[in-house]
Amino acid sequence: MSKQISLNVFTMNCVGHLNGGLWRHPSDQAYRYKDLDYWVELALIAERGKLDAIFLADVLGMYDTYGGNADASIREAMQTPVNDPLLIISAMAYATQHLGFATTHSTTYIQPYLLARKFSTLDHLTKGRVAWNIVTSYLPHAAKNLGLDDLLPHDERYARADEYLEVLYKLWEESWDEDAVIRDVEKGVFTDPSKVHKINHIGKYFKVPGPHVCEPSPQRTPVLYQAGQSSKGRDFAAKHAEAVFTMYPTKDLVEDYIKDIRQRARNFGRNPDNIKIIPGFVPIVGETEEVAQAKYEAYKKFSSYDAALAHTGGATGIDFSQYQPTQVIADIKTEAHQGMLGIFARSTPGSASKHVRDWTMEEIAKTAALGSFMPVVVGTPDKIADWIEEWSSIGADGFNITELEHSGTVRDFVEMVVPVLQKRGIFRTEYKYKDLRSRLYQREQAHLPEDHPARTIVKEVVQ
Amino acid sequence: MSKQISLNVFTMNCVGHLNGGLWRHPSDQAYRYKDLDYWVELALIAERGKLDAIFLADVLGMYDTYGGNADASIREAMQTPVNDPLLIISAMAYATQHLGFATTHSTTYIQPYLLARKFSTLDHLTKGRVAWNIVTSYLPHAAKNLGLDDLLPHDERYARADEYLEVLYKLWEESWDEDAVIRDVEKGVFTDPSKVHKINHIGKYFKVPGPHVCEPSPQRTPVLYQAGQSSKGRDFAAKHAEAVFTMYPTKDLVEDYIKDIRQRARNFGRNPDNIKIIPGFVPIVGETEEVAQAKYEAYKKFSSYDAALAHTGGATGIDFSQYQPTQVIADIKTEAHQGMLGIFARSTPGSASKHVRDWTMEEIAKTAALGSFMPVVVGTPDKIADWIEEWSSIGADGFNITELEHSGTVRDFVEMVVPVLQKRGIFRTEYKYKDLRSRLYQREQAHLPEDHPARTIVKEVVQ
């Protein structure tokens, strides 16, 4: 049997995620994000397509760099308003049997003891179908509203997150023995107290005596997602993550990233195959090439310059409003120029015909609006499947299907592309494993594998 | 038409709430608390009975006073393990149309900006069916695991909570104008930025510039529940709460409380009728008196001395393990004695035949195990209805139906008592209002009324 790929829906509990301006598209349903029916519909489509999970991004504040305020983000509903992603999961879990739910949660604004309970609860409620996308939060607007004067310095955020994970591993993996809950009516013992342990964590950032307040959930630790890009971030991912997702535009960049992250994983004593690489991409599929291209043109038509640059500016700290749409990147002679080149001048996305340095701001915005520089793959189901096979061949283990049109992107993919992938033998025709981790590893592996650093941390505690 | 009462289910996302030891009862289903089906079943029963809401209690740590450790709480599943209550709501909301959800959340361990988003999200997802039970958290075990060395002093917790509410009112009531979201495709405006305002809160405890990240939800501010008992707590409730719930054993005490809280409300310039009083009680109902009494005897049989005193001890800070079961309260000559008397010597619960000072520890524990000193009303549907009418006549606006047997207590109530209440014309036969606040006030009142202090606070901001 060929290698089997993973497939997630990549979306967010808001109107505009990485599709600036597309709320104007007449088919876009994202304005219904406040409605549980909307989410359950999406979950049912995804489960019909045997997809692995719905992956929910999140931010805790607004993008307020563009023009020095959040007006463009607000006007264009660019990740604003944004609702809590955790709170929609139980409805989707109730309506489905197999689909997983990967959700973003920051380590910066909540004590680990509370976060531990949230994910234990979700893992119980979903019967082991939950993943956590670990972020340290990058928006200054969020920091300022959440009790900090500004963002914590980048490296400190990661040092703190590292200890944070240590606390969580102790709570999730060690605090309750597997057979602690016995519900023995005769003996009058629901839980055996000798099998519930304090963790007595005293670190630089956290003091957590424990025990955890939750009994062991099916996966104990949720599947760990991460997307570190900086050197610190990549080390963090290589140490902790079981799946990393990328947003690189080209195959070369992903290939470099895979090599790098797997080498870093080896440095942490891990089996590099236990980190799954999940690039994001935007499939635009049609029954014919013409239909697909027409969809693409419509998306382009509704994309918003301001929305795209408000988002990209917020994510990079560059106020793009100072430039004219006709401004060519290479002609900008400021520090921001260097910043932009650092971010975008990786090489050109698949469909572009000239080097990114020669792009105008208009071209940057158009690309940012349609999937934030991730590959946009337009064509027939077979063409999309070819692309997937090509990227799989360089070591990608799965893909995040990024929504441009809610929920049309996913529906089209499930109806047209999934059958082709199944026919080619690279994607499941039935769900096989009960929990999300086993599905990711493609073997019975409900708990963290033996080579994961959590095992060493917990062992040190127990001894 | 007679005065209409409110009715909530009072429960918790755990095995043992206020029913120590009853997990042993063969019909008790609470061990299924990890299962969404369990919660949806409960919600459907409650909605079938046209109840107002499911009210979810919560704690963030363990009761570890009894014997100086949490062993008894763990052994007896006494609010341990305990899962997150917010995360079960969307599944229940998806499965129902009308039922409300009141959930506890502490103000002590989360920034108001984050809490604002949680409740805005829930209010959107439930289409205006959510209430927040405001607590400041009383367990030292939680404090120690959540970054504090110990509990904040009681009065400071309330001062901080008061400012916390001020921040929330600004975010919920003032930050987004009602017509901010216009979704105007032609103009390219999803939200009009001139109608989204910063709140610029700078206080003693919090600095929150805003704006809120959520668009206005149906109720904006969730219905505000509180249960302050101390003088500071009562003032807090009188100022902020729209519904207060009590756990007093006798009518006299509730009557005193109602007078006191309504007077305090007047002192805050509020219409005292805009604070609804919701005593908790435990109905044990049977087709005949004999059936009801037999159920009661079975509950008593399965109640646990340790569980009851672990909970009561944790809530009062008294280690009851130092006393023998035969110890008579009046004979205890220690400081703890005074503490206990202060707590229980209100007068005797309905069914008791002697003054609480003459009770043994055994009697205290038996009473604590069956609803933590709330009235236990045993009998036929008519007898329960009589009791409800009697307590309504002293000014109670509704009742929290406290579960002893999950979900039997609620099922019995819905099947046998609700029809009697409906026949007597004191309880709705159909849901009338869409949002929970209107249901509580029994008039169209989706938003906080004009006399609520939030209005003044917000007005001061705007001017």
Side-chain angles (χ1 to χ4, degrees):
Chain A
M1 198 173 68
S2 310
K3 176 180 164 185
Q4 299 289 298
I5 57 165
S6 296
L7 289 170
N8 302 316
V9 176
F10 190 31
T11 188
M12 192 162 170
N13 193 357
C14 62
V15 178
H17 174 204
L18 302 170
N19 57 344
L22 266 70
W23 62 268
R24 270 172 287 232
H25 191 290
S27 302
D28 192 71
Q29 295 285 305
Y31 69 93
R32 293 174 54 217
Y33 75 102
K34 302 167 297 180
D35 188 339
L36 283 171
D37 288 339
Y38 169 78
W39 291 106
V40 169
E41 284 163 28
L42 180 67
L44 291 174
I45 294 169
E47 186 160 89
R48 184 150 51 86
K50 317 289 180 212
L51 305 191
D52 290 64
I54 290 182
F55 183 167
L56 295 156
D58 193 25
V59 290
L60 299 174
M62 293 181 176
Y63 292 81
D64 60 0
T65 307
Y66 192 70
N69 59 54
D71 284 4
S73 310
I74 292 169
R75 190 178 308 109
E76 293 286 356
M78 179 37 66
Q79 304 192 6
T80 296
V82 56
N83 282 355
D84 191 310
L86 271 70
L87 297 171
I88 57 176
I89 290 176
S90 75
M92 293 192 284
Y94 180 70
T96 56
Q97 293 289 317
H98 305 280
L99 187 68
F101 305 96
T103 185
T104 300
H105 205 300
S106 172
T107 59
T108 300
Y109 305 110
I110 182 178
Q111 288 286 325
Y113 196 65
L114 269 185
L115 184 125
R117 185 173 81 146
K118 285 184 193 304
F119 278 91
S120 291
T121 300
L122 286 175
D123 203 47
H124 279 301
L125 296 177
T126 62
K127 300 189 197 298
R129 298 188 271 149
V130 78
W132 172 31
N133 175 35
I134 309 162
V135 299
T136 60
S137 296
Y138 69 171
L139 289 181
H141 180 265
K144 284 175 192 148
N145 277 286
L146 289 162
L148 300 176
D149 286 328
D150 207 340
L151 284 181
L152 295 176
H154 176 273
D155 286 6
E156 191 182 341
R157 288 214 309 275
Y158 274 108
R160 196 177 160 286
D162 198 57
E163 190 188 322
Y164 197 103
L165 269 283
E166 195 182 321
V167 174
L168 291 175
Y169 296 146
K170 291 173 183 173
L171 290 170
W172 284 329
E173 298 291 328
E174 187 266 336
S175 186
W176 289 59
D177 293 353
E178 201 62 27
D179 57 351
V181 174
I182 53 175
R183 203 175 149 236
D184 187 325
V185 171
E186 295 307 315
K187 288 188 190 150
V189 178
F190 191 93
T191 304
D192 181 348
S194 73
K195 294 183 172 172
V196 177
H197 314 288
K198 288 198 171 186
I199 65 163
N200 294 318
H201 177 89
I202 299 174
K204 181 175 172 193
Y205 300 98
F206 304 104
K207 204 156 72 176
V208 182
H212 189 25
V213 286
C214 303
E215 60 180 291
S217 67
Q219 299 184 122
R220 286 184 170 262
T221 298
V223 176
L224 300 171
Y225 265 74
Q226 228 268 332
Q229 297 300 329
S230 65
S231 181
K232 283 268 178 204
R234 286 180 181 210
D235 267 346
F236 185 89
K239 180 174 173 187
H240 297 286
E242 302 178 88
V244 289
F245 67 98
T246 71
M247 294 175 63
Y248 292 118
T250 68
K251 218 169 67 172
D252 292 352
L253 286 167
V254 173
E255 213 164 356
D256 289 348
Y257 181 80
I258 292 174
K259 277 185 199 139
D260 181 58
I261 210 85
R262 295 216 152 120
Q263 185 51 50
R264 288 174 195 254
R266 274 184 213 100
N267 299 346
F268 283 106
R270 295 179 67 188
N271 175 352
D273 292 338
N274 284 349
I275 304 190
K276 307 299 175 187
I277 316 285
I278 318 280
F281 81 122
V282 181
I284 301 176
V285 59
E287 293 78 356
T288 65
E289 185 68 28
E290 292 67 36
V291 171
Q293 287 295 339
K295 281 186 193 178
Y296 185 32
E297 291 307 316
Y299 294 143
K300 280 198 263 191
K301 188 180 138 202
F302 289 108
S303 71
S304 155
Y305 181 89
D306 282 352
L309 294 184
H311 172 253
T312 308
T316 57
I318 301 166
D319 178 4
F320 288 101
S321 76
Q322 65 195 288
Y323 300 118
Q324 293 302 312
T326 52
Q327 174 74 54
V328 173
I329 301 282
D331 295 340
I332 301 174
K333 298 292 179 207
T334 66
E335 233 174 89
H337 175 183
Q338 303 303 325
M340 270 188 288
L341 287 184
I343 294 149
F344 308 123
R346 297 146 168 167
S347 57
T348 50
S351 58
S353 56
K354 57 183 174 181
H355 195 280
V356 76
R357 278 191 201 82
D358 300 321
W359 286 16
T360 61
M361 294 302 296
E362 183 81 51
E363 286 168 309
I364 284 281
K366 274 269 186 265
T367 310
L370 301 184
S372 195
F373 307 99
M374 283 186 274
V376 177
V377 190
V378 186
T380 61
D382 269 305
K383 187 170 160 194
I384 311 276
D386 290 347
W387 183 91
I388 285 174
E389 288 211 79
E390 196 187 328
W391 279 50
S392 298
S393 74
I394 60 159
D397 298 293
F399 300 89
N400 282 338
I401 301 160
T402 306
E403 288 197 291
L404 279 193
E405 178 200 326
H406 306 257
S407 313
T409 302
V410 179
R411 198 186 51 237
D412 286 354
F413 191 92
V414 162
E415 289 178 1
M416 294 191 267
V417 184
V418 164
V420 176
L421 299 173
Q422 289 171 329
K423 215 160 151 188
R424 294 186 186 186
I426 60 168
F427 190 62
R428 71 181 69 85
T429 52
E430 291 301 333
Y431 287 107
K432 185 169 170 188
Y433 303 99
K434 277 182 74 173
D435 58 276
L436 189 60
R437 178 171 281 112
S438 296
R439 189 179 304 154
L440 184 72
Y441 286 89
Q442 300 179 27
R443 61 173 188 258
E444 290 298 344
Q445 182 74 58
H447 297 163
L448 284 170
E450 284 311 312
D451 64 309
H452 192 280
R455 295 271 160 257
T456 329
I457 289 166
V458 168
K459 215 174 279 173
E460 282 164 5
V461 173
V462 175
Q463 285 168 351
Chain B
M1 198 171 71
S2 311
K3 178 179 163 184
Q4 300 288 300
I5 57 167
S6 296
L7 289 169
N8 301 316
V9 177
F10 190 32
T11 189
M12 190 164 169
N13 194 355
C14 62
V15 177
H17 175 203
L18 302 170
N19 57 343
L22 265 71
W23 61 269
R24 270 172 288 230
H25 190 292
S27 300
D28 192 71
Q29 296 285 305
Y31 69 92
R32 293 173 55 217
Y33 75 103
K34 303 166 297 182
D35 188 338
L36 283 171
D37 288 337
Y38 168 78
W39 290 105
V40 170
E41 284 163 28
L42 179 67
L44 291 174
I45 294 169
E47 187 160 86
R48 184 149 51 86
K50 319 288 182 213
L51 305 190
D52 289 64
I54 290 181
F55 183 167
L56 295 156
D58 193 27
V59 290
L60 299 174
M62 294 181 176
Y63 291 81
D64 60 0
T65 306
Y66 193 69
N69 59 55
D71 284 5
S73 310
I74 292 169
R75 189 181 307 110
E76 293 286 357
M78 180 36 67
Q79 304 192 7
T80 297
V82 56
N83 283 354
D84 191 311
L86 271 69
L87 297 171
I88 57 177
I89 291 175
S90 75
M92 292 193 284
Y94 180 70
T96 55
Q97 292 290 316
H98 305 280
L99 188 68
F101 305 95
T103 185
T104 301
H105 204 301
S106 173
T107 58
T108 301
Y109 305 110
I110 182 178
Q111 289 286 324
Y113 196 65
L114 269 183
L115 183 127
R117 186 173 80 145
K118 286 185 194 302
F119 279 90
S120 291
T121 301
L122 286 175
D123 203 49
H124 278 301
L125 296 176
T126 62
K127 300 191 196 299
R129 296 188 274 149
V130 79
W132 171 32
N133 174 36
I134 309 162
V135 299
T136 62
S137 295
Y138 69 170
L139 289 180
H141 181 265
K144 284 175 192 149
N145 277 287
L146 290 162
L148 300 176
D149 286 328
D150 207 339
L151 284 182
L152 295 177
H154 175 273
D155 286 5
E156 191 183 341
R157 289 214 307 274
Y158 274 109
R160 196 178 161 285
D162 198 56
E163 189 188 324
Y164 198 102
L165 269 284
E166 194 182 322
V167 174
L168 291 175
Y169 296 145
K170 291 173 183 174
L171 291 169
W172 283 329
E173 298 290 329
E174 189 267 336
S175 186
W176 289 59
D177 293 352
E178 202 61 28
D179 58 350
V181 175
I182 52 175
R183 202 174 149 236
D184 187 325
V185 171
E186 295 308 312
K187 288 189 189 149
V189 178
F190 191 93
T191 304
D192 180 348
S194 74
K195 295 184 172 173
V196 177
H197 315 287
K198 290 198 171 186
I199 65 163
N200 295 317
H201 177 89
I202 300 174
K204 181 174 172 193
Y205 299 99
F206 304 104
K207 205 157 70 178
V208 182
H212 190 26
V213 285
C214 303
E215 60 180 291
S217 67
Q219 300 183 122
R220 288 185 170 260
T221 298
V223 175
L224 300 171
Y225 265 73
Q226 226 266 333
Q229 297 300 329
S230 65
S231 181
K232 282 268 177 204
R234 287 179 181 211
D235 266 345
F236 186 88
K239 179 174 175 187
H240 297 287
E242 303 178 86
V244 289
F245 66 99
T246 71
M247 295 174 65
Y248 291 119
T250 67
K251 220 170 65 173
D252 291 352
L253 287 166
V254 173
E255 214 166 353
D256 289 349
Y257 180 81
I258 292 175
K259 277 184 201 141
D260 181 59
I261 211 84
R262 294 217 154 121
Q263 184 51 51
R264 287 174 196 254
R266 274 184 214 101
N267 300 345
F268 284 106
R270 296 179 67 189
N271 175 353
D273 292 338
N274 283 349
I275 304 189
K276 307 300 175 186
I277 315 286
I278 319 279
F281 81 123
V282 182
I284 301 177
V285 59
E287 292 79 355
T288 65
E289 185 68 29
E290 292 66 38
V291 171
Q293 287 295 338
K295 279 187 194 175
Y296 186 29
E297 291 307 316
Y299 294 144
K300 279 199 261 190
K301 188 179 138 200
F302 289 108
S303 73
S304 156
Y305 181 88
D306 283 353
L309 294 184
H311 172 252
T312 307
T316 58
I318 300 167
D319 177 3
F320 287 100
S321 76
Q322 63 194 291
Y323 300 118
Q324 293 301 312
T326 53
Q327 174 75 55
V328 173
I329 301 282
D331 296 340
I332 302 174
K333 299 294 179 204
T334 65
E335 232 174 273
H337 174 184
Q338 303 304 325
M340 269 188 290
L341 286 184
I343 294 150
F344 308 124
R346 296 145 170 171
S347 58
T348 52
S351 58
S353 55
K354 57 183 175 182
H355 195 281
V356 76
R357 282 190 195 82
D358 300 321
W359 286 16
T360 61
M361 294 302 297
E362 182 82 49
E363 286 167 308
I364 285 280
K366 274 270 187 265
T367 309
L370 301 185
S372 195
F373 308 98
M374 282 185 274
V376 177
V377 189
V378 186
T380 60
D382 269 305
K383 187 171 161 191
I384 311 275
D386 289 346
W387 184 92
I388 286 174
E389 288 210 78
E390 196 187 328
W391 280 50
S392 298
S393 72
I394 61 158
D397 298 293
F399 299 90
N400 282 338
I401 302 160
T402 307
E403 287 198 292
L404 280 193
E405 178 200 326
H406 305 256
S407 309
T409 302
V410 180
R411 198 186 50 238
D412 286 353
F413 190 93
V414 163
E415 289 179 1
M416 293 191 268
V417 184
V418 164
V420 175
L421 299 173
Q422 289 171 330
K423 216 161 149 189
R424 295 188 186 185
I426 60 169
F427 190 63
R428 70 180 70 86
T429 52
E430 291 302 333
Y431 287 107
K432 185 170 171 188
Y433 302 99
K434 277 181 75 173
D435 59 276
L436 188 60
R437 178 172 283 113
S438 295
R439 189 178 304 154
L440 183 72
Y441 286 87
Q442 299 180 27
R443 61 173 188 256
E444 290 298 344
Q445 183 73 59
H447 297 163
L448 284 171
E450 283 311 311
D451 64 311
H452 193 280
R455 295 271 160 257
T456 330
I457 290 166
V458 167
K459 215 174 280 172
E460 281 163 6
V461 173
V462 174
Q463 284 167 349

